[in-house]
Every structure is written in structure tokens, then in C-alpha cells.
């Protein structure tokens, strides 16, 4: 559950940042909004999968089987 909360807070910050940057660069609220919806949504999914990968890797490294094979 903590991963989901962390991902959600990251997504909110990312949406705000993406909108602000795109709006500042283009002067268009429409383009800023489009960029803020598409890019962070994809990046948030990638971030969640990235976190799951590293969490799983840490679990494997700290498992008793990993200690035996080391």
C-alpha cells in the first residue's frame, strides 16, 4: 500500500510540474494540459514498475536462499 501512496504523490507532483513546464514553454493551457495528462501518466506507470522491480530485487537478495548461494 505504501508503494501505491508514494506513486500517487509522485504522480500529482509530476502532473503539476509537466503542466507548468509545458505551459511556460508554449503559452498554451491546452498544450500544457495535454502534456500534463499524457507524459506523467505513462511515466507514473513506469515509475511504479521500476519501484516494484527494485523492491523484488531487494527481497531476493535478502532471502535465505541468496545467503546460501553467496
Amino acid at each position: 500500500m505504501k508503494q501505491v501512496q508514494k506513486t500517487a504523490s509522485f504522480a500529482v507532483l509530476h502532473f503539476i510540474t509537466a503542466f507548468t513546464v509545458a505551459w511556460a514553454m508554449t503559452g498554451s493551457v491546452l498544450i500544457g494540459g495535454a502534456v500534463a495528462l499524457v507524459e506523467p501518466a505513462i511515466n507514473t506507470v513506469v515509475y511504479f514498475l521500476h519501484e516494484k522491480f527494485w523492491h523484488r530485487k531487494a527481497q531476493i537478495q535478502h532471502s535465505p536462499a541468496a545467503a546460501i548461494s553467496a
Side-chain angles (χ1 to χ4, degrees), residues 12-69:
V12 169
L13 290 173
H14 197 143
F15 281 108
I16 293 167
T17 302
F19 173 79
T20 303
V21 170
W23 178 45
M25 290 180 70
T26 66
S28 170
V29 171
L30 183 62
I31 292 173
V35 170
L37 290 176
V38 175
E39 192 275 337
I42 293 167
N43 203 4
T44 298
V45 171
V46 171
Y47 174 79
F48 179 76
L49 296 173
H50 177 263
E51 287 290 307
K52 284 186 67 103
F53 168 81
W54 283 103
H55 180 72
R56 182 159 172 96
K57 184 176 177 180
Q59 283 181 326
I60 291 169
Q61 288 176 344
H62 293 95
S63 72
I68 294 169
S69 64

Side-chain angles (χ1 to χ4, degrees), residues 1-14 44 47-48 51-52:
M1 183 56 120
K2 186 174 182 176
Q3 278 183 314
V4 173
Q5 291 171 333
K6 186 176 175 184
T7 301
S9 68
F10 173 79
V12 169
L13 290 173
H14 197 143
T44 298
Y47 174 79
F48 179 76
E51 287 290 307
K52 284 186 67 103

